[in-house]
Amino acid sequence: MCHAALPFPYRPRMHPPCFLHQALQTQANRSSPCSGGQADRITSTPARASEESSLGPVALSPGLRPAGAACCASPVRKGSSRRAISFFELPRQFKRVNRHKPWIETSYHGVITENMDTVLLDPPLVALDKDAPVPYAGEICAFQIHGQEVPFEAVVLNRTSGEGILRASGPVDCESQKEYTFIIQAYDCGAGPNGAEWKKSHKAVVHIQVDDINEFSPMFRESAYKASVTEGKIYDSILQVEAWDQDCSPQYSQICNYDIVTTGTPFAIDRNGNIRNTERLNHEKQQSYKIMVTAFDCGQKRAKESVAVYIDVKPVCKPGWQGWNKRVDYEPGTGSKQLFPKMHLETCGGPLSGVRAMVELQTNHIGKGCDRETYSEKSLQKLCGAASGSTDLLPTPSPSTNWTASLLTDSGRDSDLIYRFDGRQAANVPDRVVPQNLTDQFTVATWMKHGPSPGLRGEKETLLCNSDKTEMNRHHYSLYVHNCRLVFLLRRDFTQVDTFRPAEFHWKLEQICDKEWHYYVINVEFPAVTLFVDGVTYEPYLVTDDWPIHPSQIDTQLTVGACWQGGEVATPRFTQYFRGSLSGLTIRPGRIETQKVISCLQACKEGLDINSLESLGKDIKFHFNPAQSVLVVEGEDLDSINTAMTKVSYINSRQFPTPGLRRLHIITTVQCFGEDVCLSIPDIKAVVMVLPPSEPRITLLGSNRLIRPANDVRGPLGVAPFKDLHITSTVIKGDSSPFGGSHRSGVMEVMHNLDYCDVLVIGEELNPDRESLGIQHNALLGKHLDATNSTSGISIYGVDSMAHYEQVLRQLRYRNWRPASLSERRFRLTCSELNGRYTSNEFTMEVSVLHHSASIEHVNHMVAQPQYLRPVHSPLMIHTLNSQMTGGAPPAATVVIVVCIAALVVIVVIGIYRIHATQQEGSREEEDGGKDTDVDWENSTLTITVNPMEGISGTQATKEAKAESALGVASAESDCSEEEGEEEEEEEGQDERKKGGKLEWDSSSVAY
């Protein structure tokens, strides 16, 4: 409360507010500041000036100031001549009545820029008072703002005109508050200078809007953006980036533009931040992109930091199998190998109710439909346990089986004997080969590959035909194809049956004309005939009857690839040619094949497999076809299907599989809920590459020369030419270093089977009247081996180990019961694996025969032995001679002894020469590179004996000389005969002392 010392007690009737006194004081201070010590003057108008001039200077005494205006007091200096008076002490003639209140607008609208203090009001801040021009009452002293924490103040610029301004009293921030609303009132100056009886205007509403300035840069809401797109598509918007600004106004707080900073990218961005691609993206070309994006607000202020946008390009989501390789390499001997270890089915998120996948291994270009054992038909039958006695009608061409030499063979197959018939080839089987004892039970089996023949549907294509050779044209039995139907004709002889009986058996199967290999077996148990195709039984759909054939004396002709027409035509010829491929055509009389043997003969050695069956889901169902070339997997759960497919494997059980490609084909069907097929899964086509196996090198080793006396060759057992034979097989293995780079190769011995060994005679064929080459039957017992021989040699066949072949060949015997004219016999041995796919070296064996000379009658000569002979002593001869030394001998005995000794010396010299020549020949063979073999002198008829007297001391020799002079002629002749007997005994002693090595020198010295 402004107060002052009054000269009299006075309590004012009304106290104006302090701000009004401030306004009044401000006006007074314009002429005389309060702090200057001068009295406050009120000289607003000329009238007031006249009044003051009449009354003298008027000053506001501090004691006369209204209460509440102490802060506005201006004390009067001591000694001042002016008189301090109050407004209330003015004379009555100076008082004016303040009759009207000030007037202002009812509302104001203002704008202020943030961080500034000037407010632009509309309309301007002006207060009017009807009391004007009355001093004080008609003047505006102040404006009052009502509101909490309003950062504004109103200032009067001119009291008379009532003009004022509105300005900020503190910082104004648009981001803190964009608008202000408050109340303002105007106050006049009251009735006098002291502000008594002041009046205030009505309340006016002031609305202030804070204008923003662009003080902040845009900022992105994310530190980085990521998105993925599918290749090959044009997107309207891949993703949207968003920036914001802290400024409060739409002009500066809104983002008006975005821009891609990274150049050379196939992307664009619009003003809303949507990024799109401008060209089709390729996953293989580029799998991901990184672009930098910036933003601008509407005041074109750029973001301080750009943001990174990562866009991944994904391949087109195509339903199908993923994670599989187009080629899988298979190394022989590695067993089962997984084909798709990382494969899975992509369904692009579609709900599934079931999946069915069929995996097919296509091997029709390998051998006879797949990788089977390529042994000969006889060897395979022996291996599978089939009964012996079958006749191979399509054997490998050879001197003894030359009827197939003119047929076309498919040389493209890996040691698999296949004959191709093009409608112009056929072969007559010799009568000696044709089985003559077909009874009610027999079997016909063959491999056949046949397709339809356009334009020839009405013609028969004959595989096998037995018809009349001449005069007539009757077919006794035949197997042919007619209109893609397989027909077997069997007409019995009238002597066997005389009634109307089944004669033709028809089968209609798709396998007959599908151009694929199939194994056909016809089991005849008349009148029943059963067909097996790839091990599956088929009964004939049509059986026709016919009368039996009347007996005749006409010979029959068995033909392969056509039918022989020898009668009813001018020129005998082939008819009904076959067009296709055949292999392993056999007839087995008297027996039918069992299901087990048939399955073994046609079994594939390669196929599909599933590893770890226990790891498959319970809902998984799978099944194979008989050949294991087709696998079907079914299931409802996608994960279970994926697991099952990763277990699918390829296996080849052959030690030396056929190298090359095997095609894989996977067909998949997907079922959805309520639909049969909802997704189309592309088929998969891949290949399995079977790498070439390490080829074995079969080597035959042993002594290639055998010298035997004629007696041994003539003996009941003969001689064993291959008793020292050894069969080995080696492969070259390449070992890669674990550290990479270098490769080391080494030779490793392997064990495998053989399927035949042939011993052929070199030179003249064997003469059955005086020589033979064969093997005893008991040598084949317990082995999968059999043997056939002829004048050209002997063949041992069957799939068995090398050790068994070695044992059998060692027991092979050659015998000649008339060896007088024979000096030597030469044989060539070769062995094979896989029907000639791998063959051994040609091992030549020479058997030399030593003949005993008829002129040898004396054996008690002395001879210098060769180095490789061991001296043989005859105790019996020593005993005989010593026992006769005591008797006397006539003088003629000496002459007889000398003659015998001379004749014997001549024979011995001749024998030594032959031994020397033999040794020289062996040396020449060594120099020519042949293997050094020891000459076998076992059981030799050439007997070298030493004079028994060489082991007796000199005294005994003198006594023996005297004894010889005392012997007579008769005793001399007896001695010669005894010596001949002793020669035979010495030969027997030598047989008992046989040894396999060279004979050694004796320590005794021998003299002529």
Side-chain angles (χ1 to χ4, degrees):
M1 178 178 178
C2 297
H3 58 86
L6 298 177
F8 53 87
Y10 173 77
R11 189 175 299 272
R13 186 177 53 180
M14 180 177 179
H15 301 283
C18 183
F19 71 87
L20 183 57
H21 278 278
Q22 290 177 349
L24 294 171
Q25 188 65 37
T26 302
Q27 295 295 332
N29 289 341
R30 289 177 182 173
S31 58
S32 178
C34 293
S35 58
Q38 298 179 2
D40 294 334
R41 296 173 179 238
I42 302 177
T43 57
S44 301
T45 63
R48 178 172 299 179
S50 63
E51 293 177 355
E52 290 181 356
S53 61
S54 61
L55 296 177
V58 180
L60 293 178
S61 173
L64 297 178
R65 291 174 182 171
C71 57
C72 300
S74 179
V76 180
R77 295 183 179 179
K78 294 180 179 182
S80 175
S81 60
R82 290 188 300 172
R83 181 171 52 91
I85 62 174
S86 170
F87 286 112
F88 300 102
E89 294 178 342
L90 294 175
R92 184 172 300 272
Q93 61 269 27
F94 291 102
K95 293 184 179 179
R96 299 287 187 266
V97 180
N98 190 5
R99 297 179 180 181
H100 299 93
K101 296 186 295 183
W103 178 91
I104 59 176
E105 298 286 347
T106 58
S107 64
Y108 295 91
H109 295 275
V111 176
I112 185 174
T113 302
E114 65 175 341
N115 301 329
M116 304 291 287
D117 59 356
T118 302
V119 179
L120 300 179
L121 283 179
D122 183 26
L125 184 60
V126 176
L128 302 177
D129 197 322
K130 290 183 178 182
D131 292 328
V134 178
Y136 301 107
E139 296 176 353
I140 302 301
C141 283
F143 292 97
Q144 175 64 38
I145 293 176
H146 303 281
Q148 295 182 353
E149 299 181 357
V150 178
F152 296 98
E153 62 180 359
V155 179
V156 177
L157 297 180
N158 191 318
R159 292 172 56 179
T160 302
S161 62
E163 296 178 12
I165 62 171
L166 188 65
R167 62 187 180 189
S169 60
V172 178
D173 189 3
C174 180
E175 287 73 33
S176 299
Q177 189 168 346
K178 297 181 180 180
E179 296 178 348
Y180 294 89
T181 301
F182 52 88
I183 302 299
I184 191 172
Q185 286 180 305
Y187 288 80
D188 59 16
C189 294
N194 60 353
E197 297 182 4
W198 53 266
K199 292 184 182 294
K200 60 181 178 180
S201 68
H202 61 273
K203 294 180 180 179
V205 178
V206 181
H207 180 76
I208 303 298
Q209 179 180 349
V210 182
D211 276 355
D212 188 23
I213 62 174
N214 197 3
E215 57 182 332
F216 294 101
S217 299
M219 297 177 62
F220 288 93
R221 297 191 181 276
E222 303 290 341
S223 59
Y225 291 86
K226 294 182 180 180
S228 60
V229 296
T230 302
E231 63 176 348
K233 295 178 62 177
I234 296 294
Y235 290 83
D236 294 333
S237 176
I238 297 175
L239 79 160
Q240 183 181 22
V241 297
E242 184 180 2
W244 67 286
D245 198 313
Q246 298 182 28
D247 291 318
C248 65
S249 63
Q251 180 181 3
Y252 301 130
S253 63
Q254 292 183 356
I255 306 300
C256 285
N257 194 18
Y258 293 90
D259 192 17
I260 295 178
V261 179
T262 307
T263 59
T265 60
F267 299 97
I269 189 170
D270 61 13
R271 62 185 306 165
N272 295 321
N274 294 307
I275 298 177
R276 59 182 178 86
N277 57 320
T278 58
E279 62 183 45
R280 301 182 187 275
L281 305 179
N282 191 327
H283 174 75
E284 296 182 357
K285 181 179 179 181
Q286 189 166 348
Q287 299 178 0
S288 63
Y289 293 87
K290 178 184 177 182
I291 58 177
M292 302 301 294
V293 176
T294 188
F296 296 88
D297 61 17
C298 294
Q300 294 303 308
K301 193 164 190 176
R302 179 175 174 174
K304 290 183 178 180
E305 295 182 358
S306 300
V307 70
V309 179
Y310 300 92
I311 300 177
D312 295 331
V313 181
K314 292 185 177 181
V316 177
C317 182
K318 299 177 181 178
W321 294 101
Q322 297 182 2
W324 55 278
N325 295 325
K326 293 183 178 180
R327 168 172 167 166
V328 180
D329 289 340
Y330 179 82
E331 178 134 2
T334 56
S336 178
K337 182 171 183 177
Q338 288 179 271
L339 296 175
F340 315 109
K342 298 181 180 179
M343 188 171 72
H344 65 278
L345 182 61
E346 176 62 54
T347 61
C348 296
L352 308 179
S353 62
V355 179
R356 183 181 185 271
M358 183 180 71
V359 185
E360 181 182 4
L361 179 67
Q362 299 175 349
T363 59
N364 51 1
H365 62 290
I366 301 294
K368 296 190 288 288
C370 67
D371 204 3
R372 296 181 170 93
E373 296 292 4
T374 55
Y375 296 116
S376 64
E377 198 63 29
K378 284 187 176 181
S379 298
L380 282 175
Q381 291 177 356
K382 191 74 175 178
L383 179 65
C384 292
S388 60
S390 66
T391 301
D392 190 358
L393 301 181
L394 289 175
T396 304
S398 67
S400 59
T401 58
N402 56 2
W403 70 88
T404 59
S406 61
L407 299 179
L408 297 177
T409 59
D410 192 347
S411 59
R413 306 304 178 185
D414 190 7
S415 70
D416 206 357
L417 186 60
I418 294 174
Y419 290 95
R420 183 164 52 88
F421 297 86
D422 60 358
R424 294 189 297 270
Q425 290 85 22
N428 285 328
V429 182
D431 294 340
R432 59 181 173 82
V433 180
V434 178
Q436 303 295 333
N437 56 344
L438 291 183
T439 61
D440 289 345
Q441 284 189 345
F442 64 93
T443 299
V444 178
T446 184
W447 285 95
M448 182 179 72
K449 180 181 180 181
H450 180 264
S453 300
L456 301 175
R457 291 183 58 84
E459 296 186 11
K460 296 180 179 179
E461 299 179 54
T462 303
L463 287 74
L464 177 68
C465 180
N466 184 267
S467 60
D468 291 333
K469 185 176 293 187
T470 57
E471 300 182 17
M472 302 181 71
N473 188 27
R474 299 176 301 177
H475 295 184
H476 296 260
Y477 61 87
S478 66
L479 180 64
Y480 61 91
V481 176
H482 186 214
N483 291 335
C484 288
R485 292 168 173 82
L486 186 66
V487 182
F488 180 66
L489 170 67
L490 178 62
R491 298 187 65 187
R492 311 304 302 275
D493 290 341
F494 194 81
T495 57
Q496 295 175 325
V497 62
D498 58 356
T499 60
F500 207 57
R501 301 300 297 274
E504 281 189 344
F505 305 86
H506 300 250
W507 292 273
K508 183 179 180 180
L509 304 173
E510 62 180 10
Q511 293 94 323
I512 298 172
C513 286
D514 64 356
K515 296 183 180 181
E516 301 291 343
W517 280 103
H518 300 284
Y519 187 55
Y520 299 84
V521 178
I522 297 177
N523 275 346
V524 178
E525 287 183 292
F526 195 80
V529 177
T530 304
L531 172 67
F532 293 85
V533 179
D534 298 332
V536 181
T537 307
Y538 295 93
E539 296 296 332
Y541 82 96
L542 176 64
V543 178
T544 59
D545 297 341
D546 201 351
W547 289 101
I549 295 177
H550 291 279
S552 65
Q553 301 300 321
I554 301 175
D555 293 334
T556 59
Q557 176 64 58
L558 183 62
T559 308
V560 177
C563 198
W564 178 257
Q565 187 174 1
E568 302 178 358
V569 292
T571 303
R573 59 187 175 85
F574 290 113
T575 60
Q576 302 175 7
Y577 284 99
F578 176 71
R579 294 171 177 82
S581 299
L582 297 176
S583 179
L585 178 59
T586 61
I587 295 180
R588 184 187 306 280
R591 296 286 296 272
I592 62 173
E593 294 290 9
T594 63
Q595 178 76 40
K596 181 179 179 181
V597 172
I598 294 173
S599 299
C600 176
L601 290 174
Q602 62 90 33
C604 289
K605 296 299 181 180
E606 64 178 343
L608 299 174
D609 193 16
I610 290 185
N611 294 334
S612 305
L613 293 177
E614 63 278 1
S615 63
L616 299 182
K618 294 182 179 180
D619 62 323
I620 294 297
K621 300 177 182 179
F622 66 92
H623 57 88
F624 293 91
N625 66 334
Q628 282 193 234
S629 60
V630 177
L631 168 64
V632 178
V633 180
E634 295 178 291
E636 298 178 357
D637 182 62
L638 183 60
D639 292 337
S640 299
I641 287 289
N642 291 336
T643 302
M645 293 300 291
T646 59
K647 304 295 183 181
V648 178
S649 304
Y650 170 81
I651 187 171
N652 195 317
S653 60
R654 295 187 64 189
Q655 187 175 8
F656 304 106
T658 303
L661 293 177
R662 275 76 164 164
R663 294 180 179 87
L664 286 169
H665 190 196
I666 300 180
I667 302 175
T668 309
T669 55
V670 176
Q671 294 180 347
C672 296
F673 295 98
E675 301 180 27
D676 293 336
V677 177
C678 59
L679 289 178
S680 178
I681 306 298
D683 294 350
I684 284 182
K685 292 184 179 181
V687 295
V688 177
M689 173 60 76
V690 179
L691 303 178
S694 299
E695 297 189 0
R697 181 178 181 181
I698 306 172
T699 306
L700 306 178
L701 301 173
S703 175
N704 58 359
R705 189 172 186 187
L706 179 67
I707 302 176
R708 285 291 183 269
N711 289 338
D712 290 352
V713 178
R714 188 190 301 113
L717 296 179
V719 295
F722 304 103
K723 68 174 184 176
D724 296 329
L725 179 68
H726 292 281
I727 304 177
T728 61
S729 181
T730 57
V731 296
I732 298 177
K733 289 287 187 179
D735 300 329
S736 61
S737 172
F739 302 101
S742 63
H743 294 268
R744 296 176 297 137
S745 60
V747 178
M748 183 176 64
E749 185 172 352
V750 295
M751 299 299 296
H752 57 80
N753 293 331
L754 300 177
D755 59 349
Y756 71 81
C757 286
D758 290 338
V759 180
L760 299 179
V761 178
I762 301 176
E764 296 182 0
E765 294 188 356
L766 296 175
N767 189 345
D769 296 334
R770 63 171 181 266
E771 57 184 341
S772 66
L773 181 66
I775 189 170
Q776 295 183 358
H777 179 69
N778 58 2
L780 302 176
L781 295 179
K783 305 176 180 65
H784 297 289
L785 298 178
D786 208 342
T788 58
N789 56 0
S790 65
T791 58
S792 300
I794 185 172
S795 178
I796 303 171
Y797 62 90
V799 182
D800 213 331
S801 63
M802 295 187 297
H804 282 178
Y805 267 94
E806 189 177 277
Q807 294 174 11
V808 172
L809 288 171
R810 287 180 178 181
Q811 300 181 55
L812 186 67
R813 313 294 294 190
Y814 169 71
R815 180 171 178 259
N816 190 319
W817 45 93
R818 297 176 187 176
S821 60
L822 180 67
S823 61
E824 63 180 14
R825 260 296 186 188
R826 300 180 66 193
F827 304 96
R828 179 184 296 116
L829 171 64
T830 56
C831 292
S832 161
E833 164 67 335
L834 299 175
N835 200 21
R837 179 177 172 184
Y838 305 115
T839 57
S840 69
N841 60 311
E842 293 184 351
F843 181 76
T844 302
M845 167 57 68
E846 180 180 329
V847 177
S848 299
V849 180
L850 293 178
H851 298 279
H852 181 73
S853 177
S855 60
I856 297 181
E857 297 180 355
H858 307 283
V859 296
N860 59 346
H861 57 276
M862 295 183 297
V863 62
Q865 300 176 352
Q867 183 177 0
Y868 51 85
L869 294 180
R870 176 177 294 173
V872 180
H873 303 279
S874 177
L876 180 60
M877 179 181 293
I878 297 175
H879 173 73
T880 304
L881 292 176
N882 290 337
S883 64
Q884 295 178 352
M885 284 191 301
T886 57
T894 304
V895 178
V896 175
I897 292 173
V898 171
V899 172
C900 291
I901 292 174
L904 187 58
V905 166
V906 173
I907 297 301
V908 169
V909 169
I910 294 174
I912 294 174
Y913 174 77
R914 292 192 57 160
I915 294 172
H916 181 70
T918 302
Q919 191 177 25
Q920 291 295 328
E921 184 178 356
S923 300
R924 286 195 300 271
E925 290 179 356
E926 284 184 35
E927 294 173 357
D928 293 338
K931 185 174 180 180
D932 185 16
T933 57
D934 297 336
V935 179
D936 195 343
W937 284 91
E938 296 175 3
N939 297 326
S940 175
T941 56
L942 179 61
T943 304
I944 308 298
T945 59
V946 180
N947 190 344
M949 297 183 64
E950 69 175 358
I952 307 175
S953 62
T955 305
Q956 291 177 339
T958 304
K959 292 181 180 180
E960 289 176 359
K962 293 181 179 180
E964 288 182 359
S965 63
L967 292 176
V969 175
S971 62
E973 294 176 353
S974 177
D975 290 339
C976 289
S977 63
E978 289 174 356
E979 288 172 0
E980 292 177 357
E982 289 172 355
E983 179 182 355
E984 296 177 358
E985 292 175 358
E986 287 176 358
E987 291 176 358
E988 295 176 359
Q990 284 182 336
D991 290 341
E992 295 175 356
R993 293 188 296 269
K994 285 192 302 181
K995 291 187 178 180
K998 294 182 179 181
L999 301 179
E1000 300 176 354
W1001 280 98
D1002 191 80
S1003 58
S1004 61
S1005 61
V1006 180
Y1008 284 92

